[in-house]
Amino acid sequence: MSLNNVENTGDADEIVMPDSQKKQQLRLTKQKQTKQRDTTSSQGGSPEFGNEVIFKEGKSSSLHPKTLEESHKELAKSATSTDNHCFQFALPQLKESLDNCIQRVGTVRTEHDVQMINEMVMQNNKKRNRRKSKGKTDVCSDVTHCSGGVCLVNKGAALQDLEPTHLEKANTDHVQMENLSIRSNFNDKWNRNRSGRGRRKKVFEPYLPTSEVSAGLKRGELLQGPLRINPKRYHEAFIPSNDGTRDIFIDGVISRNRALNGDIVVVKLLPREQWKIIAPEGNGLEANALVQSDMAAEIIHVNPEALPAHDKVNVLVESPDVIIEEHYDSQDENTDRTNDVSRSNHGASGTATGPGALWCADGLVRIKTSRQDKFCSVAANDSSNHPDRFLQKTGKVVYIVEKKHSRAVTGFIKPLTDKNSDLYKEFVIFSPVDHRVPRILVPIEDCPENFMARPADYGSILFICCIVDWRADCNFANGFLTRSLGQAGEIEPETEGILIEYDVDFSDFSHKVLECLPKSLPWVIPNEEFRIRKDLRKECIFTIDPVTARDLDDALSCRELPDGNMEVGVHIADVSYFVREGTAVDKIASKRATSVYLVQKVIPMLPRLLCEELCSLNPMQDRLAFSVIWKLTPQGKILEQWFGRTIICSCAKLSYDHAQSMIEDPEKSFSPDELPPVSPEHHVGEVKTAVINLHNLAQNLRRQRFDDGALRLDQLKIAFTLDKETGMPQGCYVYQYKDSNKLVEEFMLLANMAVAHSIYRLFPEQALLRRHPPPQTKMLDDLIMLCEQLGLQIDFSSAGSLHMSLNRTLGTDQYSAARKEVLTHMCARPMQMAQYFCTGVLHDEASFHHYALNVPFYTHFTSPIRRYADILVHRLLAASIGSGQQIGLDRSEIQKQADHCNEKKSASKKVQELSTDIFFSVFVKECGPLESEGMVMAVLDQSFDVLVLRYGIQKRIYCNGLPLQGFTFRRVGKNPELTLMWEPETQDQETVCQVITIFALVEVVLKSDSTALKYSGILKKPGS
């Protein structure tokens, strides 16, 4: 088997040396010795993802107790070391007799692990030499050499002395090894069983005291930020740098120190010599670029089966991958960890790109050949020889400020494989679907009654597990099962799982919350409101929404004035009337912060009585509203502006398609059956005239907005048609953003900007606004370089210049729109998320700026049914016009709520994306294989990303998943290029070569995998 097929198995556990304590009766002395248990971890067999693995000592007379005990102590010493360097020495050639003793455990290692093992090797060699000098025979069972995930064990002694056990397997296929067993203990019961057996060694460093953390942050010695873990290479994590440049890289789970994705952590920078070397040139948007070195610039991958036996080599010398800021295509985020890493050959930090080439921080690339199983070393670059601009800072987590991760995960349960283990009858292993979360030991009583008797029956059943603890001396977290969700791969269990994982509250509203709602139904507007509000019920006001919408929170009106100007109104549901500050319904709304829109349903922020009835601006029903009314010139210039609370009655509920039909054919006379019902006080022609006038105004407003420097990055969005009975996807299509959508957007933006100015002017310390920071500096620089290499004339100097550049015609052929879409995706990656904030917290008005809109002040006012931030803005606006009480929050409380809204909005966006992934995966399974044209978005050394044009999704295609004779990666100038050499279907045919470059057109087939909710992208052979 080629090393290409077994390396970088990500989740595969690695050999860890003796770590248990047990009494052993020696044959000669009969003396009992206590062996101190030691726990270590590795990049693959990590405390977060791997199993705690030990060698079990047997009772062979050849075992020398003193030497083994010393090796335990040396390993314990090295396991606590914080130095992550590998020793810079070439490993000696191995004897032929040892070739068959290689235990291959996965080649992904941290630098810390390699150092630990090398230290152990050196210490053991010293002991062996000392014994030889004393005339003693060396019969100890030690690991003699270890590098890159391959440990060579003395077969004559070690393998005889180990009891045959098995390695625990998790959800993915792991490398099988003999003579290994799982040992982990986390609870008091197990600790009591181990009393008197010695103190346990720490796997993780203890957290710093809060006083040291506070002082270190003040001095600038420590950094704080949200932890982002790469879901495709889950040993890589990042926090933003304070200077806005390249992110701080956290290498491996040990350095992550039990923090989970999203947690707010404090990080200590590692010494400069441990920073990562970054390529001074290359495609920065690729997840991996090639480091500049003295090695070959062209990488050739050949199918080893096509070579003569004596020429077969499993490793080619390549430049190593570079760790870049975490940006990746979302549809691959839950890819099976073994398949993802092994196919891409992009393991955790510290591995080279090629099959078998192992990159270490010491600058050594270790290469293995199949013919001789030998290791050699290739000198490469040292970080000390590079300027700072070519280095990426690395760090380690020393404190968790706030555990943002919900600690609730979906996954599968399995019994421990070692039936002789003390834990076997008390615990089972829980393997999360999200590989960024550690494995968890859960009590066996949490499992179904017949689980231990029939574990295979539950192999595909999803469970929810909550983590309650993760101690510093244990590889596993501990937790408990809450319940089972159902069969993996089915829509509802999978949907419920992602809602729980992202802490989306989808429970029924409590009786206390419902008590806050009006009791007498049907509800009518109190007479008092007519006295204090402007009555607009006779105006021609209507809603434009998706056809399936039920929470209608915005409406529009437009009438021509005698002077030729236009009176335009934006009318928003007055949710703050029903959601009073401090009430139970207010508290639950502030906690949920947003409605969550899934493909098949909505998880509402408010009880349905409010969001679908009392607050929703349903047609021909009197409703309370908050209105912004302008007097505009036909060109869109604002002449007058008014804010106030109103009473409206929508005359029609239009869909975007209805409004689009009016825009596209303004002269058409619509029959009653072509449009939804219109109230008797108004007629279809009046509604149509208003829509057309709004469209004309919106075009002028939009043109002016982009002339003033705004930016819009439109990306393809997939939509589904569902079976009404089963809820299964019947079809999918790319959602079309039409003029009717743009019409509504322009007036919502205008209202939001107007309200932002108003509340900030009157409440400069309490205003809740929304800002959009400029793109990340380092990623933008990489994008600029990439565009230059591709010969694209893109101006990134401002949002407006970028927008104009993107809207220049990229060719005149039928694929110009596709090229623009690919380029838009590239430009979206450096962009940061917009954020809510309190103006009293940020003292520099320049930081209020919204980059994409290019406006100084912006907020959210127009969607209070589904966003809690809008409710706060409504309260501020009401107070500013004397129509409501002063808001009862100070600036710190408003900022806290703003932060919470940011988090919930981000989670909602992620859940929505995952819901789309679930439905598309089901669609591929039910209707696939699906064929489509695709356009290449990025080229890596062994894979490439494709935008599937028919469905608007991105998919990574791996070269070693294709029937190729080989493939070559090179740079033409500086542009990445893959040449694929397809295998002939018959002996008479010649090899077909296909060149893959950015913007290249390809034919893609999407096929469902055997794993639930997984599908692969396969490239069609040209001409097939």
Side-chain angles (χ1 to χ4, degrees):
M1 181 187 294
S2 157
L3 186 59
N4 186 32
N5 296 326
V6 297
E7 105 166 334
N8 292 343
T9 54
D11 188 16
D13 300 290
E14 303 189 12
I15 294 179
V16 180
M17 292 305 297
D19 90 343
S20 70
Q21 272 188 358
K22 62 193 303 187
K23 296 179 182 179
Q24 182 170 3
Q25 189 72 27
L26 300 175
R27 175 180 299 179
L28 298 177
T29 64
K30 306 287 187 180
Q31 179 181 0
K32 293 184 179 180
Q33 295 197 6
T34 304
K35 302 183 182 295
Q36 188 172 13
R37 185 178 185 273
D38 174 37
T39 305
T40 82
S41 67
S42 65
Q43 184 81 336
S46 68
E48 185 164 357
F49 311 101
N51 298 318
E52 195 171 70
V53 182
I54 66 167
F55 279 143
K56 278 191 170 183
E57 301 112 24
K59 298 181 180 181
S60 169
S61 60
S62 63
L63 183 64
H64 193 287
K66 181 178 180 180
T67 305
L68 183 57
E69 184 177 14
E70 289 174 351
S71 68
H72 289 183
K73 293 179 180 178
E74 292 298 330
L75 181 59
K77 179 180 179 181
S78 63
T80 59
S81 172
T82 58
D83 186 0
N84 289 334
H85 277 188
C86 300
F87 277 87
Q88 297 190 17
F89 63 89
L91 294 177
Q93 294 185 357
L94 307 177
K95 296 180 180 179
E96 186 66 23
S97 61
L98 298 179
D99 288 349
N100 296 326
C101 301
I102 293 180
Q103 299 293 322
R104 202 183 309 277
V105 193
T107 60
V108 182
R109 282 195 184 278
T110 61
E111 300 140 14
H112 173 275
D113 300 326
V114 178
Q115 179 210 4
M116 177 191 70
I117 296 167
N118 287 340
E119 286 181 350
M120 182 185 64
V121 170
M122 295 178 69
Q123 293 293 339
N124 289 337
N125 287 339
K126 291 179 181 178
K127 296 170 194 168
R128 187 176 296 107
N129 292 336
R130 287 197 300 268
R131 293 182 54 79
K132 289 180 179 179
S133 67
K134 297 178 181 179
K136 298 182 180 180
T137 303
D138 187 3
V139 292
C140 65
S141 60
D142 288 331
V143 172
T144 58
H145 297 288
C146 192
S147 176
V150 180
C151 292
L152 301 141
V153 187
N154 187 310
K155 184 177 182 180
L159 298 185
Q160 296 177 17
D161 297 334
L162 302 178
E163 295 179 4
T165 53
H166 299 283
L167 178 64
E168 167 67 5
K169 292 183 64 178
N171 191 24
T172 56
D173 294 333
H174 290 188
V175 179
Q176 295 293 323
M177 299 193 309
E178 296 179 350
N179 310 313
L180 299 175
S181 67
I182 303 165
R183 310 274 303 187
S184 181
N185 58 344
F186 63 84
N187 64 352
D188 293 339
K189 181 188 297 185
W190 178 243
N191 286 336
R192 288 195 298 269
N193 292 338
R194 289 180 51 84
S195 61
R197 299 187 183 182
R199 296 182 59 188
R200 302 188 62 195
K201 297 297 182 182
K202 297 292 185 182
V203 178
F204 302 97
E205 291 185 12
Y207 297 129
L208 293 181
T210 54
S211 58
E212 291 187 27
V213 170
S214 179
L217 289 172
K218 290 179 180 178
R219 292 193 299 266
E221 298 171 355
L222 302 177
L223 304 174
Q224 179 176 319
L227 184 73
R228 307 190 322 273
I229 304 175
N230 190 337
K232 298 178 77 174
R233 289 183 295 278
Y234 46 86
H235 293 87
E236 302 174 5
F238 306 84
I239 69 163
S241 61
N242 291 341
D243 56 7
T245 57
R246 189 177 287 116
D247 289 352
I248 308 300
F249 177 51
I250 314 296
D251 187 5
V253 293
I254 297 298
S255 296
R256 209 152 66 225
N257 203 357
R258 294 163 287 163
L260 299 185
N261 189 60
D263 288 351
I264 306 300
V265 298
V266 174
V267 168
K268 180 179 180 180
L269 291 182
L270 296 178
R272 188 179 187 276
E273 56 267 20
Q274 296 182 36
W275 294 357
K276 297 296 177 183
I277 302 171
I278 302 299
E281 58 183 26
N283 182 357
L285 291 183
E286 299 174 15
N288 300 283
L290 293 178
V291 168
Q292 302 299 304
S293 70
D294 296 330
M295 292 182 245
E298 183 168 318
I299 304 173
I300 304 173
H301 304 261
V302 182
N303 186 345
E305 300 302 324
L307 297 175
H310 63 277
D311 288 334
K312 287 187 180 180
V313 175
N314 287 341
V315 176
L316 294 160
V317 179
E318 309 178 9
S319 301
D321 284 347
V322 167
I323 305 301
I324 305 296
E325 288 87 338
E326 176 214 7
H327 278 259
Y328 37 80
D329 46 324
S330 60
Q331 75 274 6
D332 282 341
E333 288 199 1
N334 291 316
T335 304
D336 173 75
R337 68 179 89 170
T338 301
N339 291 340
D340 176 61
V341 180
S342 62
R343 286 182 300 179
S344 66
N345 290 312
H346 299 147
S349 170
T351 62
T353 58
L358 307 176
W359 185 258
C360 204
D362 58 3
L364 297 182
V365 179
R366 294 186 173 84
I367 302 109
K368 174 183 171 297
T369 65
S370 62
R371 182 174 157 197
Q372 294 179 323
D373 288 324
K374 295 181 180 179
F375 285 86
C376 61
S377 64
V378 180
N381 297 331
D382 185 355
S383 62
S384 61
N385 298 327
H386 289 75
D388 285 351
R389 68 181 184 275
F390 296 152
L391 298 177
Q392 181 171 23
K393 296 177 182 178
T394 59
K396 61 181 179 180
V397 173
V398 295
Y399 190 77
I400 300 178
V401 177
E402 186 176 0
K403 295 181 178 179
K404 293 289 188 180
H405 191 281
S406 67
R407 265 62 180 176
V409 289
T410 60
F412 304 90
I413 54 173
K414 291 184 178 182
L416 299 172
T417 55
D418 184 6
K419 296 183 178 180
N420 297 321
S421 167
D422 296 330
L423 300 179
Y424 181 80
K425 296 181 180 180
E426 298 185 44
F427 300 98
V428 300
I429 195 78
F430 180 89
S431 294
V433 173
D434 185 349
H435 305 139
R436 296 171 292 183
V437 180
R439 292 180 188 157
I440 307 163
L441 286 177
V442 298
I444 205 167
E445 54 264 27
D446 289 352
C447 303
E449 291 184 2
N450 64 338
F451 171 71
M452 294 304 292
R454 302 177 61 87
D457 293 352
Y458 298 90
S460 60
I461 301 297
L462 278 175
F463 288 85
I464 292 290
C465 181
C466 289
I467 296 175
V468 296
D469 188 24
W470 191 2
R471 294 185 349 199
D473 60 358
C474 190
N475 285 342
F476 298 97
N478 74 338
F480 61 92
L481 296 181
T482 58
R483 61 192 179 91
S484 64
L485 293 175
Q487 191 73 26
E490 295 182 358
I491 290 176
E492 287 308 316
E494 296 282 357
T495 298
E496 189 171 339
I498 62 174
L499 291 174
I500 292 172
E501 287 189 17
Y502 284 87
D503 198 21
V504 175
D505 184 357
F506 59 96
S507 62
D508 294 334
F509 290 96
S510 68
H511 176 72
K512 188 176 181 180
V513 170
L514 298 179
E515 281 293 308
C516 299
L517 308 183
K519 303 294 188 299
S520 57
L521 299 175
W523 178 80
V524 294
I525 298 174
N527 292 330
E528 181 184 354
E529 295 301 319
F530 287 94
R531 293 195 298 269
I532 62 176
R533 292 174 181 263
K534 192 171 186 176
D535 190 350
L536 300 177
R537 289 178 295 171
K538 293 184 179 180
E539 297 292 328
C540 180
I541 298 174
F542 49 87
T543 60
I544 304 176
D545 287 284
V547 66
T548 57
R550 291 187 290 181
D551 51 350
L552 313 180
D553 47 16
D554 59 85
L556 294 167
S557 64
C558 180
R559 67 185 181 94
E560 189 172 358
L561 299 175
D563 60 2
N565 293 315
M566 298 287 178
E567 183 183 86
V568 175
V570 170
H571 313 278
I572 308 300
D574 191 357
V575 178
S576 61
Y577 173 85
F578 296 96
V579 182
R580 301 298 175 92
E581 188 173 358
T583 61
V585 68
D586 179 52
K587 292 177 180 177
I588 190 64
S590 68
K591 181 181 177 182
R592 294 193 176 194
T594 182
S595 296
V596 180
Y597 289 82
L598 308 174
V599 171
Q600 77 277 33
K601 59 185 176 182
V602 179
I603 309 299
M605 180 182 75
L606 296 169
R608 295 193 183 277
L609 177 62
L610 292 182
C611 62
E612 295 181 7
E613 296 184 42
L614 302 187
C615 293
S616 183
L617 305 181
N618 297 327
M620 288 166 276
Q621 294 183 7
D622 293 350
R623 288 291 179 259
L624 302 179
F626 222 134
S627 300
V628 185
I629 299 176
W630 301 276
K631 182 179 180 180
L632 301 174
T633 66
Q635 292 74 35
K637 182 180 179 180
I638 298 175
L639 301 177
E640 296 178 10
Q641 181 173 269
W642 179 86
F643 301 99
R645 282 182 145 151
T646 58
I647 300 174
I648 68 169
C649 181
S650 171
C651 67
K653 177 188 175 184
L654 301 180
S655 70
Y656 285 115
D657 289 338
H658 294 142
Q660 187 65 28
S661 299
M662 296 175 180
I663 292 170
E664 291 177 351
D665 194 353
E667 303 300 325
K668 179 180 178 180
S669 296
F670 291 89
S671 61
D673 58 343
E674 292 180 283
L675 295 174
V678 178
S679 68
E681 289 79 8
H682 305 278
H683 54 83
V684 172
E686 186 179 2
V687 174
K688 185 185 73 172
T689 300
V691 169
I692 293 172
N693 287 336
L694 286 171
H695 168 63
N696 293 333
L697 283 169
Q699 284 186 312
N700 292 329
L701 289 170
R702 188 179 184 87
R703 186 183 306 111
Q704 185 62 49
R705 195 161 56 83
F706 288 121
D707 287 345
D708 291 341
L711 165 68
R712 182 177 178 87
L713 297 176
D714 286 317
Q715 299 188 53
L716 299 180
K717 179 181 177 182
I718 192 171
F720 298 87
T721 55
L722 306 180
D723 186 280
K724 292 183 178 180
E725 294 183 359
T726 65
M728 297 288 284
Q730 289 181 317
C732 66
Y733 56 94
V734 174
Y735 184 80
Q736 297 296 315
Y737 189 75
K738 302 178 180 179
D739 285 339
S740 56
N741 302 85
K742 297 175 183 178
L743 182 160
V744 175
E745 180 189 40
E746 285 306 314
F747 288 103
M748 297 304 111
L749 290 172
L750 192 64
N752 287 335
M753 289 185 283
V755 171
H757 281 268
S758 179
I759 62 175
Y760 178 59
R761 183 173 63 253
L762 291 170
F763 299 105
E765 292 294 309
Q766 292 178 291
L768 179 67
L769 301 186
R770 188 163 174 82
R771 68 190 186 96
H772 184 209
Q776 297 182 41
T777 305
K778 177 59 180 67
M779 295 197 69
L780 185 62
D781 291 342
D782 291 341
L783 178 60
I784 292 172
M785 183 178 294
L786 172 62
C787 291
E788 290 174 352
Q789 294 166 5
L790 295 173
L792 299 174
Q793 302 299 317
I794 307 295
D795 185 354
F796 292 92
S797 59
S798 67
S801 60
L802 176 57
H803 179 82
M804 289 188 288
S805 296
L806 290 175
N807 283 275
R808 295 193 189 106
T809 304
L810 294 174
T812 57
D813 61 305
Q814 58 179 323
Y815 297 106
S816 59
R819 282 191 286 273
K820 179 183 176 182
E821 188 63 38
V822 169
L823 192 56
T824 298
H825 276 274
M826 293 179 181
C827 293
R829 292 179 180 179
M831 299 299 167
Q832 301 191 63
M833 296 290 291
Q835 298 176 333
Y836 299 110
F837 71 101
C838 178
T839 53
V841 174
L842 295 181
H843 304 294
D844 183 7
E845 273 194 10
S847 61
F848 298 3
H849 187 262
H850 196 290
Y851 173 81
L853 296 174
N854 195 30
V855 294
F857 306 110
Y858 186 70
T859 193
H860 275 166
F861 162 77
T862 55
S863 297
I865 291 178
R866 61 186 178 91
R867 292 190 305 232
Y868 187 74
D870 299 54
I871 295 178
L872 292 180
V873 170
H874 276 229
R875 291 172 182 166
L876 288 165
L877 182 61
S880 71
I881 62 175
S883 182
Q885 296 179 348
Q886 295 288 329
I887 192 169
L889 302 175
D890 60 28
R891 63 184 183 183
S892 63
E893 292 171 319
I894 293 175
Q895 182 59 47
K896 184 177 180 181
Q897 184 64 53
D899 292 337
H900 181 68
C901 289
N902 291 331
E903 294 164 9
K904 287 299 184 180
K905 184 173 179 66
S906 178
S908 172
K909 182 176 183 293
K910 187 61 188 175
V911 167
Q912 186 175 352
E913 292 170 353
L914 291 174
S915 176
T916 300
D917 291 344
I918 289 174
F919 273 80
F920 190 73
S921 298
V922 172
F923 180 72
V924 173
K925 180 180 179 181
E926 297 296 325
C927 304
L930 307 177
E931 296 187 9
S932 171
E933 282 187 310
M935 184 166 283
V936 177
M937 302 177 64
V939 179
L940 285 73
D941 61 330
Q942 300 187 50
S943 60
F944 52 96
D945 294 337
V946 173
L947 176 66
V948 183
L949 299 179
R950 182 177 178 184
Y951 302 106
I953 66 162
Q954 303 172 48
K955 197 65 182 173
R956 178 159 293 177
I957 296 178
Y958 298 92
C959 294
N960 60 3
L962 304 175
L964 303 176
Q965 283 186 333
F967 57 96
T968 302
F969 175 84
R970 65 170 182 167
R971 293 188 180 275
V972 179
K974 297 180 180 180
N975 301 333
E977 179 182 287
L978 270 173
T979 301
L980 311 182
M981 293 159 278
W982 292 86
E983 285 187 353
E985 296 179 0
T986 64
Q987 293 183 351
D988 299 334
Q989 294 180 343
E990 295 183 355
T991 299
V992 177
C993 292
Q994 183 178 11
V995 178
I996 303 296
T997 59
I998 296 176
F999 297 128
L1001 281 170
V1002 294
E1003 292 288 333
V1004 179
V1005 179
L1006 303 177
K1007 301 175 68 175
S1008 182
D1009 294 344
S1010 57
T1011 306
L1013 296 183
K1014 304 296 179 187
Y1015 64 94
S1016 301
I1018 305 297
L1019 194 67
K1020 288 184 66 176
K1021 181 179 178 180
S1024 62

